[in-house]
Amino acid sequence: MASTMKLVLFSALMFFSFQAVVSDTPQHPLNPLTSEEIIRVRNTVQEKYPTSSNRLSFHYIGLDDPEKDIILQWESTPNTTTVPRKALAIAIINSQTHEIVIDLQKENAIILSDNIHRGNGFPTLSVAEQDNATALPLTYGPFIDSVKKRGLNLSEVVCSAFTSGWFGEAQNNRTVRVECFMNESSPNIWVRPISGLTILVDLELMTIVEYEDRGIIPVATANNTEYRLSHQKPPFGPKQHSQATHQPDGPGFQISNHSVSWANWKFHIGFDPRAGLVISLASIYDLEKHKSRRVLYKGYISELFVPYQDPTDDFYYKTFFDAGEFGFGLSTVSLVPNLDCPSNAEFLDAYVHDASGTPVPIPNAVCVFEQYGSIMWRHTETGIPNDSFVETRTEVNLIVRTIVTVGNYDNIIDWKFKTSGSIIPAIALSGILEIKGVDIKHKDEIKSDQHGTLTSLKTVRVTDGSSKRKSYWTTETETAKSENDAKIIIGNAPGELSVVNPNKKTAVGNDVGYRLIPAIPAHPLLTDDDYPQIRGAFTNFNVWVTPYNRTEKWAGGLYVDHSHGEDTLAVWTQKNRDIENKDIVLWHVTGIHHVPAQEDFPIMPLLSTAFELRPTNFFDRNPVLKTLSPKFVKWPGCPNTTTH
Ligand SMILES: *[C@@H]1O[C@H](CO)[C@@H](O)[C@H](O)[C@H]1NC(C)=O
Ligand SMILES: *[C@@H]1O[C@H](CO)[C@@H](O)[C@H](O)[C@H]1NC(C)=O
Ligand SMILES: *[C@@H]1O[C@H](CO)[C@@H](O)[C@H](O)[C@H]1NC(C)=O
Ligand SMILES: *[C@@H]1O[C@H](CO)[C@@H](O)[C@H](O)[C@H]1NC(C)=O
Ligand SMILES: *[C@@H]1O[C@H](CO)[C@@H](O)[C@H](O)[C@H]1NC(C)=O
Ligand SMILES: *[C@@H]1O[C@H](CO)[C@@H](O)[C@H](O)[C@H]1NC(C)=O
Ligand SMILES: *[C@@H]1O[C@H](CO)[C@@H](O)[C@H](O)[C@H]1NC(C)=O
Ligand SMILES: *[C@@H]1O[C@H](CO)[C@@H](O)[C@H](O)[C@H]1NC(C)=O
Ligand SMILES: *[C@@H]1O[C@H](CO)[C@@H](O)[C@H](O)[C@H]1NC(C)=O
Ligand SMILES: *[C@@H]1O[C@H](CO)[C@@H](O)[C@H](O)[C@H]1NC(C)=O
């Protein structure tokens, strides 16, 4: 994985295509740390722990986001509210994990707190230490012998670092497994592992502490593993026709630094080394109430758990937590204009940091574009004799896209905003198989002023002969009052989950709310007492609701590498806190059990899952009733038929 990440972060240098729109708005308090701020964090920490006398590496440098009430206060009075600007640095200093909070407000940044983490689990791995670990086998005698024994050419071997999990040991050192692959004849290394080896590297000692060769298992042939276009032979196809999205009036959205306004939506695009893309403060303009209304305080992928399903020595340990162990932000790749995002997209760059605390740019980390072609609503009225008519509205959606590549898999993350009020987060997998199943986890934090209610639909049998129908639908409403009530698996049976504010009613008296239309549930494949499942216990249910708590951010825990599952959603909710009429967080777990098929070879077409947060009695009526369809534009090569 290391080599992929490095390639990603340092390639395509300095292609800055995002054009910041100049604006007077004060700096948004949720803007990610700038490169200058990252440098100040580094310098401040290094001042206290000079590298001449300390072993210091940075594993996280990000915004220490202010409390929610401060942000909301700022949102309503941006010019008069001052918001603290703080950074959180997680650094390993002389083999101890430090959590350092730094005040960035003053010219001279100061350390506000510096605590040592003494519990289980280690921080996100740095790219540099993975690179250093993966270089070790290539000069390690026993490994060189193993390569020779297999008749392989050492200079065609590439290695990658994999987190090694936790399997009940009382004490863990900070270790990774290194696995090596053949790069000869084809760059599709993931399908050509050198199997039968165990290489364990202690990252603090930076040495191989365990080595085992269990015997020769042949490396797969490179035949038919190529996926680069330059290496394909005819015939080519199927053919794709060229397309350009022509917006004569320009795009319908505006990005001012990180704040987006589009149609009736306003939201903020943040970026974090661990979470990657973060959507915050999404609000929608209500045409009838003449005001913007808050919908989502913050949404991001909290963790992604990938337990491979193979108990053998080569694979059993592969129980990855991609966000916490490798960093979704650190693993975000540059988007390819016109291919990853259409021609009408605008791009945002991002900064992460390396192990030395130096800012690392990711050009084109996020793209934003309008997507055409769907229908918003329609009706053909055929019931009125001699007077049939059609009313139809085309749909324009806004997409915010980012791609995270961790090792062999590429995760395409889309946040779709609809003018009808829905937000549809989607995650899709592509990339290269490493074998066996995959789980993807998605998390979401919802809206400040809404509160939990659980609505389930059930089927009622008609038994009294009162109707010719044998069954009908009715609704049964149940309110989740505590965290335990809200641990559910939604999507198996008909059922709906609405998040409502019982203190706010629509004109006809319904509770104002949003409903979750879940992704197809993916159940954990492991038993509850299996170590990976204890660590990934947040997958036990696909819906959880917790009272808002700024520090409960990571469903699998803050220190997830080698974690023992002591800081997960499953543990926090054991308190069974009250969630009724509270400021809450909704966690939705989506999954893809990837059972490989031949079509996934040598590279897999996208496999996706999505869910919808949909207004439910939030508006008094259809909020897009009076939407105007875009003007028809004549364009060379386009059929010019139109009913307008
Ligand atoms: C955008 O915000 C950053 C701080 O987050 C600030 O340094 C920069 O000047 C802003 N750019 C514009 C164009 O407003
Ligand atoms: C904040 O100040 C800017 C000018 O500095 C002004 O354009 C803007 O309208 C002000 N915003 C509010 C909400 O007062
Ligand atoms: C990686 O190795 C290089 C070269 O030996 C060294 O300078 C650097 O500090 C190492 N980095 C980490 C994070 O181990
Ligand atoms: C080993 O691989 C390198 C790089 O591809 C090549 O230059 C070299 O000739 C190979 N050696 C043998 C013995 O095949
Ligand atoms: C951890 O490393 C220390 C030496 O650094 C060693 O003595 C100890 O046995 C290791 N523990 C485990 C569980 O490997
Ligand atoms: C992988 O193989 C390609 C093509 O033979 C070669 O250009 C590249 O240098 C190799 N990389 C490594 C790290 O071996
Ligand atoms: C790989 O393909 C070539 C022809 O394209 C064939 O000669 C060779 O036998 C194949 N090798 C294996 C191991 O299948
Ligand atoms: C519909 O139009 C036909 C032909 O123009 C006419 O004969 C008929 O009476 C109309 N029906 C109604 C309900 O208006
Ligand atoms: C917030 O969450 C942390 C971690 O679960 C917990 O230690 C703390 O007590 C919580 N704070 C409140 C106010 O519940
Ligand atoms: C399209 O427009 C051209 C020029 O205005 C006209 O000649 C042609 O008939 C139109 N085609 C259709 C299908 O309406």
Side-chain angles (χ1 to χ4, degrees), residues 295 446-455 496-502 511-516 543-545 579 582-587 613-618:
V295 174
I446 200 168
K447 181 167 175 175
S448 54
D449 59 351
Q450 298 203 351
H451 312 270
T453 283
L454 200 63
T455 305
E496 286 193 350
L497 179 99
S498 295
V499 177
V500 304
N501 185 348
D511 289 343
V512 160
Y514 257 72
R515 125 175 85 125
L516 171 72
V543 170
W544 308 71
V545 178
I579 55 166
K582 286 266 165 34
D583 184 10
I584 58 161
V585 178
L586 171 70
W587 307 72
L613 298 168
R614 187 180 171 97
T616 302
N617 304 322
F618 185 84

Side-chain angles (χ1 to χ4, degrees), residues 11 54 78 89 146 213 283 318 340 368 393-394 415 479 612:
S11 70
N54 295 280
S146 296
D213 185 343
S283 61
K318 295 193 175 184
D340 286 330
V368 180
R393 300 293 179 275
T394 188
W415 283 77
T479 301
E612 180 170 350

Side-chain angles (χ1 to χ4, degrees), residues 57 126 128-129 132 206 355:
S57 65
S126 72
E129 67 189 356
N132 286 2
M206 203 44 90

Side-chain angles (χ1 to χ4, degrees), residues 154-158 183-187 189 228:
L154 187 67
S155 56
E156 293 170 332
V157 171
V158 296
N183 174 49
E184 143 273 335
S185 307
S186 165
I189 56 171
R228 291 173 299 178

Side-chain angles (χ1 to χ4, degrees), residues 502-519:
N503 312 312
K504 278 195 185 158
K505 310 271 183 206
T506 59
V508 296
N510 284 312
D511 289 343
V512 160
Y514 257 72
R515 125 175 85 125
L516 171 72
I517 300 176

Side-chain angles (χ1 to χ4, degrees), residues 168-406:
E169 308 86 352
Q171 182 217 343
N172 284 109
N173 290 336
R174 213 163 67 84
T175 51
V176 288
R177 288 270 294 242
V178 173
E179 200 180 340
C180 300
F181 304 85
M182 289 312 291
N183 174 49
E184 143 273 335
S185 307
S186 165
N188 199 339
I189 56 171
W190 307 107
V191 297
R192 306 185 65 219
I194 305 173
S195 300
L197 303 178
T198 298
I199 310 168
L200 191 71
V201 171
D202 185 308
L203 292 175
E204 291 304 314
L205 307 172
M206 203 44 90
T207 55
I208 294 174
V209 291
E210 193 185 321
Y211 185 83
E212 191 193 359
D213 185 343
R214 289 181 296 281
I216 299 173
I217 299 164
V219 173
T221 159
N223 276 9
N224 303 319
T225 63
E226 259 294 353
Y227 51 89
R228 291 173 299 178
L229 182 61
S230 55
H231 288 66
Q232 304 299 329
K233 295 190 181 71
F236 292 101
K239 192 170 186 261
Q240 292 186 326
H241 284 250
S242 300
Q243 185 256 357
T245 304
H246 173 59
Q247 298 183 293
D249 307 323
F253 60 88
Q254 259 207 324
I255 308 176
S256 172
N257 225 337
H258 287 82
S259 299
V260 179
S261 58
W262 169 76
N264 45 2
W265 282 102
K266 275 189 176 24
F267 60 91
H268 181 268
I269 297 179
F271 196 89
D272 179 81
R274 175 157 177 171
L277 177 67
V278 179
I279 301 289
S280 300
L281 294 174
S283 61
I284 189 164
Y285 186 77
D286 187 329
L287 204 60
E288 315 234 335
K289 295 201 160 64
H290 312 288
K291 62 171 189 183
S292 251
R293 299 173 62 193
R294 286 182 193 136
V295 174
L296 183 84
Y297 178 66
K298 197 172 182 184
Y300 59 98
I301 295 177
S302 168
E303 193 50 89
L304 185 148
F305 180 37
V306 190
Y308 280 73
Q309 301 305 313
D310 186 334
T312 63
D313 282 340
D314 275 347
F315 260 89
Y316 79 89
Y317 72 90
K318 295 193 175 184
T319 50
F320 307 129
F321 290 81
D322 281 355
E325 292 176 338
F326 299 100
F328 258 38
L330 293 177
S331 311
T332 293
V333 299
S334 292
L335 298 161
V336 180
N338 298 319
L339 294 171
D340 286 330
C341 309
S343 56
N344 57 320
E346 285 191 18
F347 293 85
L348 281 85
D349 302 326
Y351 277 99
V352 289
H353 58 86
D354 67 14
S356 73
T358 303
V360 176
I362 308 176
N364 295 353
V366 177
C367 75
V368 180
F369 60 93
E370 286 170 298
Q371 194 173 57
Y372 294 80
S374 318
I375 295 167
M376 180 186 274
W377 59 260
R378 84 177 310 287
H379 181 58
T380 299
E381 184 48 73
T382 56
I384 308 171
N386 292 353
D387 215 5
S388 70
F389 63 91
V390 58
E391 282 288 325
T392 182
R393 300 293 179 275
T394 188
E395 186 165 64
V396 183
N397 294 320
L398 190 74
I399 309 286
V400 182
R401 176 171 296 167
T402 187
I403 300 182
V404 174
T405 303
V406 183

Side-chain angles (χ1 to χ4, degrees), residues 447-566:
K447 181 167 175 175
S448 54
D449 59 351
Q450 298 203 351
H451 312 270
T453 283
L454 200 63
T455 305
S456 67
L457 276 172
K458 69 170 191 184
T459 309
V460 178
R461 293 291 297 184
V462 178
T463 53
D464 62 1
S466 64
S467 167
K468 288 190 177 161
R469 286 271 299 273
K470 289 232 166 21
S471 64
Y472 62 95
W473 291 103
T474 184
T475 68
E476 190 184 44
T477 303
E478 232 182 277
T479 301
K481 294 181 191 298
S482 69
E483 288 179 310
N484 281 348
D485 293 350
K487 290 179 190 171
I488 55 173
I489 296 173
I490 189 172
N492 270 348
E496 286 193 350
L497 179 99
S498 295
V499 177
V500 304
N501 185 348
N503 312 312
K504 278 195 185 158
K505 310 271 183 206
T506 59
V508 296
N510 284 312
D511 289 343
V512 160
Y514 257 72
R515 125 175 85 125
L516 171 72
I517 300 176
I520 294 164
H523 302 292
L525 295 164
L526 309 172
T527 57
D528 282 358
D529 62 345
D530 197 358
Y531 295 107
Q533 193 58 32
I534 293 171
R535 303 172 65 215
F538 62 89
T539 61
N540 292 348
F541 300 94
N542 70 352
V543 170
W544 308 71
V545 178
T546 57
Y548 179 79
N549 177 331
R550 195 182 68 96
T551 61
E552 290 178 351
K553 289 182 179 168
W554 314 109
L558 173 59
Y559 297 105
V560 77
D561 174 32
H562 290 274
S563 69
H564 295 192
E566 296 148 323

Side-chain angles (χ1 to χ4, degrees), residues 32-249:
L33 297 188
T34 62
S35 61
E36 183 269 337
E37 287 174 321
I38 295 170
I39 291 169
R40 281 167 69 200
V41 170
R42 179 194 67 194
N43 292 349
T44 306
V45 173
Q46 282 182 353
E47 222 165 85
K48 180 165 177 191
Y49 300 101
T51 48
S52 52
S53 49
N54 295 280
R55 232 160 23 89
L56 164 65
S57 65
F58 288 93
H59 295 258
Y60 176 88
I61 300 176
L63 179 71
D64 188 38
D65 54 326
E67 288 294 343
K68 192 180 196 174
D69 52 352
I70 299 175
I71 296 286
L72 296 181
Q73 168 82 40
W74 175 88
E75 198 190 21
S76 39
T77 52
N79 288 356
T80 54
T81 308
T82 47
V83 178
R85 182 85 175 155
K86 293 187 285 186
L88 170 65
I90 295 177
I92 298 183
I93 304 171
N94 305 322
S95 299
Q96 283 191 312
T97 300
H98 289 244
E99 293 166 12
I100 303 173
V101 177
I102 292 157
D103 186 348
L104 292 169
Q105 219 133 11
K106 312 246 164 53
E107 202 40 54
N108 288 323
I110 52 165
I111 291 180
L112 296 174
S113 64
D114 178 357
N115 296 319
I116 293 173
H117 164 69
R118 298 190 190 279
N120 290 310
F122 302 112
T124 306
L125 274 62
S126 72
V127 175
E129 67 189 356
Q130 293 176 64
D131 287 347
N132 286 2
T134 56
L136 294 174
L138 303 177
T139 56
Y140 183 70
F143 177 76
I144 296 169
D145 291 344
S146 296
V147 169
K148 277 206 192 114
K149 236 169 47 188
R150 285 164 172 76
L152 303 170
N153 181 342
L154 187 67
S155 56
E156 293 170 332
V157 171
V158 296
C159 301
S160 197
F162 297 84
T163 47
S164 52
W166 172 67
F167 296 88
E169 308 86 352
Q171 182 217 343
N172 284 109
N173 290 336
R174 213 163 67 84
T175 51
V176 288
R177 288 270 294 242
V178 173
E179 200 180 340
C180 300
F181 304 85
M182 289 312 291
N183 174 49
E184 143 273 335
S185 307
S186 165
N188 199 339
I189 56 171
W190 307 107
V191 297
R192 306 185 65 219
I194 305 173
S195 300
L197 303 178
T198 298
I199 310 168
L200 191 71
V201 171
D202 185 308
L203 292 175
E204 291 304 314
L205 307 172
M206 203 44 90
T207 55
I208 294 174
V209 291
E210 193 185 321
Y211 185 83
E212 191 193 359
D213 185 343
R214 289 181 296 281
I216 299 173
I217 299 164
V219 173
T221 159
N223 276 9
N224 303 319
T225 63
E226 259 294 353
Y227 51 89
R228 291 173 299 178
L229 182 61
S230 55
H231 288 66
Q232 304 299 329
K233 295 190 181 71
F236 292 101
K239 192 170 186 261
Q240 292 186 326
H241 284 250
S242 300
Q243 185 256 357
T245 304
H246 173 59
Q247 298 183 293
D249 307 323

